[in-house]
């Protein structure tokens, strides 16, 4: 049993699986209706001439048996064989129904199910196992062995075409949305500047009246998606609900070139208030994640590239406790060429290049998480940092997030001053360590210098984060 090989190009396993399931279920439904309409008439005309009560009873039993047989046969589909498309991703080609094949329910491994029915043999299953992939097709659940098989096959095809996986958050990463009721007086001018929903590919600010919402796409996002798609198989993964996720996907990808069925919302997650790669058909060793919320990925921090939050609307600033004017209220925006997405695209290119061109391990043994660590450690390599009055009293310095962040960026952190120290991080220029830095011509910077360096993956100019000196 096999699949026909006329699979669509540039689609992923999840995309093609969704298309196949829609087509297959529609065809089964049509065929079932047709056969059910014809069969009773045929049986009635054949038996109407003469029949006895015993013959009628036997006929009814035969009909029941025949109905059960047809129900099982209609539910059978061939074992899924994965074929490779020209784009290097795995494709589920259209499944061909094989009415002649007989798959024993006793030997079927039940690789997946719709509700309680096995997608291969049609048997009704007791209990639930595996993982739900509702974003691929409503009601679809795949067993753990089948998930492993799909991931392994998809991985081989992607690597052959020099692609990895990229998981993209929506809010504050690729865009910013606000409820219309939360817009301030200083933002009212935006109502006259929204772009047409008829051709969203040319706009960046949209009024979504049906959702009582306004959405602003982050500068450079369209170029980012286009170029990233050459290196990555991309997913959307948001804590928003499915309706919101799909609406945002239409704005970002109106031509369905990048995501198609690969849109995951909070409704698809397996843990409350957490995101996980268990619902992604990609090997963890080949996945990168862009998200502004580190705590959403507690099990996958090694895959995460933390994004600087995009606060275009005032409500976004208020949500995170910032008592300042938003970008919209200031009538400005991030830079296209030097903003967060442009900076991260450079990082992604570097990681991709190292993974495919500079590692000595066999392709199967490579791990993008190790590449991520290596690239990150180069950012502040050679810097030695001492903190002054940055951490709470009595706290363990090396447990503070800024200390850990600096070390992840390749810096050496210390509690003691010595000639090898290059930076003193402080909020106060009046501390003893701050005086030492100024006296010995060392960099005296605010804590934000480390955070900005972490977001941009590039050492930031120290003069932009200087500590105000107290005038005598």
């Amino acid at each position: 049993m096999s699949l026909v090989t006329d699979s669509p190009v540039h689609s992923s396993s999840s995309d093609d699986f969704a298309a196949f399931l829609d087509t297959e279920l529609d065809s089964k439904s049509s065929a079932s209706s047709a056969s059910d309409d014809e069969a009773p008439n045929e049986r009635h005309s054949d038996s109407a001439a003469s029949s006895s009560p015993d013959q009628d009873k036997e006929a009814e039993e035969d009909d029941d048996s025949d109905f059960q047989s047809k129900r099982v046969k209609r539910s059978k589909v061939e074992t899924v064989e994965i074929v490779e498309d020209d784009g290097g991703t795995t494709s589920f080609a259209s499944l061909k129904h094989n009415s002649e094949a007989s798959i024993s329910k006793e030997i079927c491994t039940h690789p997946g199910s719709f509700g309680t029915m096995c997608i291969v043999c049609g048997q009704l299953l007791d209990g639930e196992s595996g993982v739900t992939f509702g974003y691929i097709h409503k009601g679809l659940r795949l067993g753990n062995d089948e998930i492993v098989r799909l991931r392994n096959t998809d991985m081989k095809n992607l690597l052959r075409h020099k692609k990895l996986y990229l998981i993209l958050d929506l809010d504050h990463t690729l865009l910013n949305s606000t409820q219309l009721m939360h817009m301030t007086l200083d933002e009212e001018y935006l109502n006259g500047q929204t772009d047409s929903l008829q051709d969203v590919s040319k706009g960046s600010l949209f009024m979504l009246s049906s959702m009582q919402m306004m959405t602003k796409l982050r500068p450079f996002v369209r170029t980012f998606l286009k170029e990233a798609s050459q290196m990555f198989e991309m997913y959307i993964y948001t804590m928003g609900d499915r309706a919101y996720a799909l609406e945002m996907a239409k704005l970002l990808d109106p031509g369905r070139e990048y995501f198609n069925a690969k849109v995951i919302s909070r409704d698809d997650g397996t843990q409350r208030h957490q995101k996980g790669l268990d619902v992604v058909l990609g090997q963890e060793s080949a996945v990168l994640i862009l998200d502004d919320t580190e705590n959403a990925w507690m099990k996958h921090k090694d895959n995460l590239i933390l994004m600087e939050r995009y606060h275009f609307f005032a409500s976004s600033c208020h949500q995170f406790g910032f008592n300042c004017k938003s970008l919209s209220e200031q009538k400005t925006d991030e830079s296209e060429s030097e903003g967060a997405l442009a900076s991260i695209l450079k990082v992604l290119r570097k990681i991709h290049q190292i993974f495919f061109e500079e590692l000595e391990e066999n392709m199967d043994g490579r791990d993008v998480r190790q590449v991520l660590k290596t690239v990150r450690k180069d950012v502040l390599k050679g810097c030695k940092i001492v903190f002054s009055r940055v951490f709470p009293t009595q706290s363990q310095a090396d447990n503070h997030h800024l200390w850990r962040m600096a070390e992840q960026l390749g810096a050496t952190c210390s509690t003691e001053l010595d000639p090898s120290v290059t930076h003193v991080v402080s909020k106060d220029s009046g501390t003893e360590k701050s005086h030492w830095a100024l006296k010995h011509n060392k960099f005296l910077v605010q804590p934000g210098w480390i955070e900005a360096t972490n977001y941009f993956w590039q050492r930031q100019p120290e003069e932009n984060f200087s500590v105000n000196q107290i005038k005598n």
Side-chain angles (χ1 to χ4, degrees):
M1 297 178 290
S2 63
L3 300 170
V4 294
T5 56
D6 56 340
S7 61
V9 179
H10 303 305
S11 55
S12 73
S13 54
S14 54
D15 296 336
D16 284 329
F17 204 5
F20 139 64
L21 290 171
D22 283 330
T23 303
E24 188 67 10
L25 289 174
D26 287 344
S27 66
K28 293 293 179 294
S29 177
S30 300
S32 174
S33 298
S35 63
D36 288 347
D37 289 342
E38 294 172 4
N41 292 331
E42 291 174 358
R43 288 196 297 269
H44 179 73
S45 60
D46 289 342
S47 61
S50 62
S51 62
S52 66
D54 289 340
Q55 288 174 324
D56 289 341
K57 184 175 182 180
E58 290 175 3
E60 289 174 3
E61 291 174 351
D62 289 342
D63 289 347
D64 289 342
S65 176
D66 193 36
F67 173 79
Q68 292 297 332
S69 175
K70 287 181 179 180
R71 183 189 67 78
V72 172
K73 283 186 177 181
R74 283 199 301 269
S75 67
K76 288 179 185 175
V77 292
E78 293 188 353
T79 301
V80 178
E81 175 188 323
I82 299 183
V83 295
E84 181 187 339
D85 62 31
D86 295 337
T89 59
T90 302
S91 298
F92 282 87
S94 303
L95 286 185
K96 184 174 63 177
H97 179 66
N98 185 359
S99 60
E100 298 177 358
S102 177
I103 304 175
S104 171
K105 293 182 182 180
E106 286 71 29
I107 65 171
C108 179
T109 58
H110 309 311
S113 64
F114 279 122
T116 59
M117 188 178 74
C118 175
I119 61 175
V120 173
C121 70
Q123 179 178 331
L124 295 179
L125 307 177
D126 295 327
E128 293 183 343
S129 62
V131 178
T132 300
F133 287 83
Y135 69 92
I136 297 178
H137 201 288
K138 185 177 180 180
L140 176 65
R141 194 175 188 90
L142 297 177
N144 294 328
D145 290 344
E146 183 67 5
I147 293 172
V148 170
R149 186 182 73 82
L150 294 177
R151 284 176 175 165
N152 288 341
T153 305
D154 209 31
M155 179 78 166
K156 291 177 182 177
N157 291 333
L158 281 182
L159 293 182
R160 191 178 299 121
H161 288 78
K162 293 188 176 182
K163 277 193 171 185
L164 298 168
Y165 300 95
L166 183 62
I167 313 300
L168 297 167
D169 173 52
L170 286 177
D171 296 286
H172 306 109
T173 297
L174 299 183
L175 50 83
N176 192 202
S177 296
T178 186
Q179 293 291 328
L180 298 181
M181 67 176 69
H182 294 154
M183 294 181 68
T184 66
L185 291 176
D186 289 339
E187 293 177 315
E188 285 188 353
Y189 74 96
L190 294 173
N191 291 317
Q193 297 188 4
T194 56
D195 297 303
S196 171
L197 291 172
Q198 301 303 313
D199 184 8
V200 300
S201 63
K202 296 180 180 179
S204 64
L205 181 65
F206 302 99
M207 175 79 74
L208 304 173
S209 300
S210 61
M211 304 180 77
Q212 287 295 297
M213 180 181 294
M214 186 177 289
T215 294
K216 173 67 172 63
L217 303 187
R218 197 167 199 165
F220 195 70
V221 68
R222 299 204 185 279
T223 302
F224 173 87
L225 292 175
K226 181 179 180 179
E227 298 196 18
S229 70
Q230 303 303 309
M231 302 179 286
F232 298 92
E233 187 74 12
M234 299 189 298
Y235 285 72
I236 284 174
Y237 199 147
T238 177
M239 281 297 194
D241 62 28
R242 183 147 190 80
Y244 175 74
L246 292 176
E247 200 65 35
M248 295 303 103
K250 290 178 185 177
L251 299 180
L252 292 166
D253 184 21
R256 294 173 67 87
E257 301 174 69
Y258 310 131
F259 305 114
N260 206 352
K262 303 185 294 296
V263 179
I264 305 173
S265 69
R266 70 181 180 213
D267 307 321
D268 305 303
T270 58
Q271 272 190 291
R272 188 175 176 83
H273 304 309
Q274 280 290 300
K275 296 179 179 180
L277 296 180
D278 51 348
V279 293
V280 175
L281 289 177
Q283 295 277 23
E284 290 185 22
S285 59
V287 174
L288 292 176
I289 302 165
L290 294 191
D291 203 313
D292 66 285
T293 307
E294 183 178 19
N295 290 336
W297 296 95
M298 296 302 290
K299 294 183 178 179
H300 307 287
K301 289 186 178 182
D302 289 342
N303 301 81
L304 177 65
I305 296 177
L306 192 63
M307 293 291 295
E308 181 183 22
R309 288 193 173 106
Y310 181 47
H311 296 297
F312 183 76
F313 294 108
S315 63
S316 181
C317 291
H318 300 158
Q319 177 186 349
F320 290 92
F322 296 120
N323 187 23
C324 61
K325 284 189 175 294
S326 66
L327 292 171
S328 62
E329 290 176 310
Q330 298 177 54
K331 297 186 178 182
T332 186
D333 208 345
E334 282 187 357
S335 167
E336 279 271 347
S337 59
E338 298 179 3
L341 289 177
S343 298
I344 291 302
L345 182 61
K346 296 175 185 176
V347 176
L348 294 177
R349 287 199 191 106
K350 186 173 184 179
I351 292 171
H352 184 273
Q353 178 184 350
I354 293 175
F355 186 94
F356 286 105
E357 298 179 17
E358 298 182 20
L359 296 183
E360 297 180 356
E361 298 92 342
N362 291 331
M363 195 66 75
D364 291 342
R366 299 180 186 183
D367 193 326
V368 75
R369 292 168 292 193
Q370 296 303 317
V371 179
L372 191 62
K373 287 181 181 179
T374 300
V375 173
R376 182 181 274 130
K377 277 188 171 294
D378 280 342
V379 177
L380 289 181
K381 186 177 180 180
C383 295
K384 186 172 182 179
I385 298 173
V386 168
F387 295 88
S388 178
R389 294 188 187 175
V390 174
F391 311 140
T393 307
Q394 306 299 326
S395 67
Q396 190 73 23
D398 56 4
N399 284 334
H400 194 273
H401 77 279
L402 284 177
W403 183 294
R404 296 199 308 271
M405 186 181 291
E407 288 188 330
Q408 290 171 352
L409 292 168
T412 301
C413 296
S414 175
T415 57
E416 303 296 331
L417 296 171
D418 65 58
S420 65
V421 171
T422 60
H423 294 74
V424 171
V425 177
S426 180
K427 298 178 182 178
D428 183 359
S429 63
T431 70
E432 183 179 343
K433 291 177 180 176
S434 295
H435 284 306
W436 178 91
L438 295 172
K439 180 180 179 180
H440 293 86
N441 200 28
K442 305 293 184 179
F443 291 112
L444 177 60
V445 294
Q446 299 176 20
W449 174 74
I450 297 177
E451 294 174 321
T453 296
N454 183 61
Y455 285 131
F456 287 93
W457 289 64
Q458 184 176 1
R459 180 171 165 176
Q460 296 300 291
E462 283 84 357
E463 58 270 22
N464 294 345
F465 298 87
S466 60
V467 181
N468 294 328
Q469 297 184 36
I470 300 174
K471 295 182 179 180
N472 295 325

